[in-house]
Amino acid sequence: MPNYFLENPDLLTTFDRVVRWDEIVPLTEGRDADVADTVSTWREVLSVAGEYIGTEVAKRARQVDEIGVIRDNGKVSLSAPLQENIKGLAELGLIGLSFPKEHGGSGLPFTVTAFVIEMLARACASTMIQNGIAYTAPAAMIFRDGTDEQKSHYLPALARGDISGAVAMTEPEAGSDVGNLSTTATLRDGCWFIDGRKQFISAGNGDFVIVLARTTQGSKGLEGLSLFVADRWTEERENYKVERAEHKFTIRGSPTCSLVFEGTRAMPLGEIGQGWRGITRFMNESRIGVGIQGLGIAQAALVAAQDYAARRVQMDKPIREHPMIAEMLLEMETTVAGLRALIVEAAALQDAVMHGADESTGWRLRELTPLVKWYGSEEAVHTCRRALQIFGGYGVVTEYDVERHMRDALITPIYEGTSQIQSLMAVRDLMRSLLRKPQSLLSGGPSATLAGAKFDGDAGRDFAAARSSLLWTLRGLTGGLARKGGVGLLRGGRQPSDEELQPFMLNAERITETLAHIHVARALGEQAKRVPERAPLFARAARRAKLVAQRNAKEISAGDGGVFERIADWERDRTSRKSRQ
């Protein structure tokens, strides 16, 4: 089995020649730190991680998938091979890489830990989820908002892998609609008690859970929400119940639980009433994590397809020498390298924001986050689908891991905010920028990052054409908005109504797809300026961005295809049925 770091040429090039370590090292190690020495140490950490993940975690991945979650007399637990994976990660100090040093961790920047997350996802997506959701995510939330007592109690134990946690937000009737959340927390005799149900909670069978609950009676929407920490056991009794673990065909080794809270004793995490702020940071970080998960799975599918296509002979030559297969492999390679380029950029921005960067850096991260999640999910699925096709009939046989990669990839467009939710987020921010500065459509567009990007040659012209197609689309949609609501709407006189925004919302995913491909091309183009060998990757990504942008522009300009008429019919039918009740 390979070392997943040292034997991945693109990963090595990214670490050695792409990441701007001179900007990242001072953030965690101080301005006087020796950059070369620090980076050498981090490289060695990743080499050790790559060896363990590539040899031990990867060899147990099929077992983790086949065994799934252990359900024994109502008790939910991890399988033995997944427990062994976590134990090994803990012994090597790889669980606490991003934890602060004063609380038992290594204090490494997110840019470094992102490499480990990718390698874990490549080896075993279930192990990656367990490592991230059961340890890293709750630790980050407790470090940000917890009391000194909470930090000292939970963080060192999490870093050692002695305990595990989870984050419980989703409810049966409040999935993407967090404002409909009904779980409550009530203060009685100086203690907080939680009542309600949570569903689809990754790693929910652990030792504690961070719960989002409503603390202001009668509050609606995102107001009156708070975060709490609840231990699984208090004074020898079960404090909340793990009702069940779902039976899934994807990430089968990772427990996805339903939790029941009935008078559950809990401690506030952060200020009462500020839960939405804390959970938003968790979700944004998790969305980048899912993008990295998609990258790892896509990398696994790419390597499997490359190896198989080199060995499989049809018509007297390896199938990779047939033009259609060769094109599929190049598309997969471009997707993986492009997603990695986008993630490295987002990870560096995340590090900067965590260490007090200015507002403009925060806005750049906000712009990229839904695109990392969307592209890392949707394109991971496409990459695995191509790998499956290259394997042909063998692709659906469980003897080959490619079918597991396909199944595991299918969760990424769904959890931590569906691809459609990511699209709405991206387009809403785009709309805010457009309404603030509609004149930007006459220049480079509302994204300062895209507007300032310039590249030479044919690839540069393809990139410019992709950006122009996006601007043409946005001009058309904005013109329609002005015709409906008047030019004054574009001057900030009022916010557009839901009806006026319908064309934007209908086409949100098309716009997001275009944005994501253009940003991927831009990220690879910026890398090619420093690493000339990446020029072919940039050229392919820029060409693809142009074709995607042009296709989506045509589809958007073709109209709604009767969608709004059908929605109106459904609304009339719903209103009629209500009036008859």
Side-chain angles (χ1 to χ4, degrees):
M1 302 292 282
N3 183 312
Y4 275 6
F5 179 66
L6 295 181
E7 296 179 39
N8 184 334
D10 192 70
L11 206 60
L12 276 181
T13 297
T14 300
F15 184 92
D16 290 338
R17 302 175 63 188
V18 171
V19 179
R20 296 182 180 274
W21 297 116
D22 57 330
E23 298 176 1
I24 292 172
V25 169
L27 296 177
T28 57
E29 307 302 312
R31 294 189 177 185
D32 296 330
D34 186 309
V35 173
D37 185 60
T38 301
V39 173
S40 176
T41 299
W42 290 348
R43 199 180 195 277
E44 182 60 31
V45 169
L46 292 178
S47 176
V48 171
E51 182 72 19
Y52 175 73
I53 293 168
T55 56
E56 298 299 320
V57 176
K59 81 177 182 182
R60 287 189 281 265
R62 192 176 299 180
Q63 273 187 299
V64 170
D65 180 69
E66 290 174 349
I67 297 172
V69 175
I70 304 300
R71 300 168 180 84
D72 183 17
N73 248 358
K75 182 181 178 182
V76 176
S77 57
L78 304 181
S79 67
L82 182 47
Q83 290 185 49
E84 190 67 24
N85 287 344
I86 295 298
K87 179 183 176 184
L89 292 171
E91 289 175 348
L92 290 172
L94 296 175
I95 284 181
L97 285 180
S98 61
F99 293 28
K101 294 176 182 178
E102 64 268 28
H103 294 293
S106 301
L108 268 61
F110 181 64
T111 307
V112 175
T113 60
F115 285 83
V116 177
I117 297 169
E118 179 196 331
M119 291 189 287
L120 273 175
R122 174 186 171 185
C124 176
S126 293
T127 300
M128 174 260 167
I129 286 299
Q130 190 67 21
N131 179 70
I133 294 297
Y135 301 96
T136 305
M141 296 178 74
I142 290 171
F143 178 68
R144 273 197 299 267
D145 296 322
T147 64
D148 289 341
E149 184 179 355
Q150 288 170 338
K151 293 174 186 177
S152 62
H153 176 72
Y154 291 102
L155 296 186
L158 283 168
R160 294 190 302 268
D162 292 343
I163 62 171
S164 65
V167 181
M169 177 182 68
T170 304
E171 297 184 2
E173 302 301 322
S176 299
D177 183 11
V178 181
N180 199 31
L181 183 142
S182 62
T183 295
T184 60
T186 308
L187 183 63
R188 298 195 299 267
D189 299 325
C191 294
W192 287 93
F193 297 88
I194 298 177
D195 292 279
R197 305 175 77 88
K198 298 290 183 179
Q199 190 176 26
F200 300 138
I201 307 306
S202 296
N205 63 315
D207 300 287
F208 72 94
V209 65
I210 295 174
V211 187
L212 183 67
R214 194 169 295 282
T215 47
T216 303
Q217 188 174 5
S219 65
K220 295 180 179 180
L222 305 179
E223 299 297 324
L225 301 178
S226 304
L227 288 170
F228 293 87
V229 182
D231 289 327
R232 177 81 176 277
W233 297 90
T234 58
E235 299 174 355
E236 303 301 321
R237 75 175 187 88
E238 196 171 36
N239 194 29
Y240 60 88
K241 182 177 179 59
V242 180
E243 188 176 44
R244 69 178 185 275
E246 306 292 348
H247 292 266
K248 315 185 302 291
F249 71 84
T250 181
I251 52 171
R252 292 200 292 215
S254 170
T256 302
C257 302
S258 292
L259 309 180
V260 179
F261 301 90
E262 294 177 339
T264 298
R265 297 175 70 96
M267 302 170 289
L269 180 63
E271 295 181 41
I272 295 297
Q274 296 299 311
W276 178 243
R277 183 179 64 180
I279 208 71
T280 297
R281 290 191 67 175
F282 158 73
M283 288 191 295
N284 285 335
E285 291 166 356
S286 297
R287 284 161 179 165
I288 294 176
V290 174
I292 300 173
Q293 180 187 11
L295 171 60
I297 296 171
Q299 175 69 40
L302 169 63
V303 171
Q306 287 173 328
D307 181 62
Y308 184 80
R311 291 184 290 105
R312 176 69 167 170
V313 175
Q314 292 281 277
M315 303 173 194
D316 298 325
K317 59 184 176 182
I319 62 173
R320 70 179 180 181
E321 295 176 24
H322 293 278
M324 283 190 289
I325 301 298
E327 183 182 46
M328 291 167 72
L329 290 169
L330 287 176
E331 284 289 295
M332 295 166 69
E333 178 187 319
T334 304
T335 293
V336 169
L339 177 55
R340 186 174 288 123
L342 199 64
I343 284 170
V344 164
E345 184 176 331
L349 291 171
Q350 175 75 9
D351 279 324
V353 168
M354 289 172 64
H355 290 84
D358 58 25
E359 187 177 352
S360 64
T361 303
W363 273 104
R364 286 177 60 203
L365 178 61
R366 179 174 176 141
E367 179 182 12
L368 290 188
T369 296
L371 303 182
V372 167
K373 171 63 165 67
W374 188 93
Y375 193 90
S377 300
E378 296 295 332
E379 290 300 321
V381 171
H382 290 166
T383 297
C384 291
R385 174 68 183 84
R386 289 186 175 107
L388 205 70
Q389 194 69 21
I390 287 171
F391 272 76
Y394 291 113
V396 298
V397 176
T398 56
E399 181 183 349
Y400 293 86
D401 289 335
V402 69
E403 63 85 25
R404 170 168 54 86
H405 302 325
M406 182 77 253
R407 287 188 286 107
D408 285 345
L410 288 171
I411 187 59
T412 59
I414 296 172
Y415 64 178
E416 303 303 343
T418 66
S419 292
Q420 290 68 43
I421 292 293
Q422 302 311 302
S423 299
L424 292 174
M425 288 173 56
V427 170
R428 280 186 182 129
D429 276 351
L430 195 69
M431 281 296 302
R432 289 191 187 100
S433 298
L434 276 174
L435 293 178
R436 278 199 306 266
K437 294 179 65 177
Q439 65 272 22
S440 67
L441 290 176
L442 301 177
S443 53
S447 167
T449 306
L450 290 182
K454 294 182 181 178
F455 307 101
D456 297 327
D458 291 340
R461 284 185 283 276
D462 283 343
F463 175 84
R467 184 173 53 194
S468 294
S469 289
L470 173 64
L471 289 176
W472 183 86
T473 297
L474 294 177
R475 287 182 196 127
L477 289 170
T478 305
L481 184 63
R483 285 191 293 274
K484 278 187 175 182
V487 177
L489 181 62
L490 302 183
R491 294 174 179 165
R494 65 175 177 84
Q495 290 297 310
S497 67
D498 289 345
E499 183 181 356
E500 289 165 339
L501 286 177
Q502 276 188 329
F504 279 94
M505 297 302 101
L506 171 64
N507 294 295
E509 191 156 15
R510 294 184 180 97
I511 296 170
T512 299
E513 181 185 23
T514 296
L515 276 170
H517 278 275
I518 296 175
H519 270 289
V520 162
R522 175 195 55 76
L524 284 173
E526 296 293 348
Q527 289 188 6
K529 291 178 180 178
R530 301 175 59 203
V531 184
E533 302 95 296
R534 296 179 99 68
L537 284 169
F538 168 51
R540 291 202 297 269
R543 176 179 175 273
R544 185 161 66 175
K546 178 183 71 173
L547 296 174
V548 167
Q550 290 173 346
R551 166 174 53 80
N552 282 327
K554 289 178 180 178
E555 289 181 355
I556 292 171
S557 66
D560 67 277
V563 171
F564 298 142
E565 183 179 348
R566 179 57 60 89
I567 291 173
D569 288 342
W570 287 335
E571 287 177 341
R572 283 190 293 270
D573 180 62
R574 175 167 51 85
T575 303
S576 175
R577 280 188 282 110
K578 276 187 176 181
S579 66
R580 293 196 299 268
Q581 290 174 353

